[in-house]
Amino acid sequence: MNVHVAVQTQAHRLDSNTAAFARDVLDGLTKPQKELSPKYFYDDTGSELFVEITRLPEYYPTRTELGILRGRAAEIAALIPPDAAIVEFGAGATTKIRLLLAAHQVAAYVPVDISGDFIITQAEALQRDFPQLAVHPLAADFTKPFALPPAVRDLPKVGFFPGSTIGNFEPQEALRFLESARDILGHGARMIIGVDLEKDENVLVPAYDDAAGVTAQFNLNLLIRINRELGADFDLSAFAHRAIYNRDQHRIEMHLVSLRDQSVHLFGERIGFRAGESIHTENSYKYSLERFRALAQQAGWTPARCWTDADAMFSVHAIETNGSRV
Ligand code: AVI
């Protein structure tokens, strides 16, 4: 039976999110280079493992970006009008936005994320700590166009997109995201974006293949999730995590490599793996300052300021549209 027919015949038993997950998994595993989307990493276990990753000695992006935001908070805040609404794309933990809010009072904060429950809890805590701030959590897929809450429509807007999440987009998707953010934030907006920088492979690869094996668990958790939610029979001991730096494409790639010839079953279908064959699970693009600025310009933004740490590991960019003001 054709794999799509296989999902279709089971679809009446699945809720719409699980049916979409099933279709994506079957599509991805039947491509010549098998692949799974990194957006499926973040079930409860995956989200906890990601927090653990951000604390690993090898994973420099989070602490380096925090260092830049802490050290440059006053300079960054100077670019944010006092009556502004900060719109955070993909808001998760509030550690980073708190650094900006502590340095500078703004009128409103709009955390946007697909997982509505999580941002509501975070927003409540933030509201307690910043009682003057109007907090408007918004449950939306921030990679697609969405409407801002009416209460902030007439305020100057500043987008906030930390963490180098832009690096998990393909270059075309990153361009589309920046264009869509410009349309959502509107004329006169600014945006503050964290972007990881290209560097030596000896630093990059361990950041995605740590000695404690947390990133390996994070990657393998995707197969655990597929077994649990879709009833597949992946043998976890027969797959290994691998991180490689693809210098030509400027990206770290994560893969799950089959350790032997084997078959996996999903919805009555048999998916064959040869020994050494991989499932490509994530790209994390690394930029030079110039390449990121060129991308921003192509999307209709003007690069305004840029800060890096002393070792040029990570960058924070301020970009603006015509008519931005402080
Ligand atoms: C969320 N994102 C920016 C992380 C990154 O560095 O690309 C995801 C990650 N994957 C493995 N380690 C961290």
Side-chain angles (χ1 to χ4, degrees), residues 173-231:
E173 292 171 344
L175 179 64
R176 274 202 303 275
F177 166 75
L178 290 172
E179 287 170 344
S180 148
R182 194 200 55 201
D183 292 345
I184 291 164
L185 298 171
H187 182 74
R190 287 205 163 96
M191 197 154 170
I192 311 291
I193 309 191
V195 182
D196 197 11
L197 297 175
E198 276 188 295
K199 58 186 64 65
D200 198 290
E201 195 167 334
N202 296 328
V203 177
L204 278 173
V205 172
Y208 292 82
D209 193 5
D210 56 286
V214 181
T215 312
Q217 278 183 60
F218 176 71
N219 203 4
L220 284 159
N221 180 58
L222 199 44
L223 302 186
I224 299 178
R225 181 172 184 189
I226 294 171
N227 282 351
R228 185 184 62 241
E229 294 184 22
L230 304 180

Side-chain angles (χ1 to χ4, degrees), residues 42 50 53 59 163-165 168 207-208 215 218 254 282 284 286:
Y42 302 93
F50 180 65
I53 287 174
Y59 193 77
S164 202
T165 303
N168 295 128
Y208 292 82
T215 312
F218 176 71
M254 296 213 310
E282 186 179 60
S284 191
K286 308 300 166 189

Side-chain angles (χ1 to χ4, degrees), residues 17 20-22 24-25 36-43 46 221-222 225-226:
N17 287 342
F21 180 31
D24 285 352
V25 168
L36 291 169
S37 167
K39 72 178 176 196
Y40 293 118
F41 279 141
Y42 302 93
D43 64 355
N221 180 58
L222 199 44
R225 181 172 184 189
I226 294 171

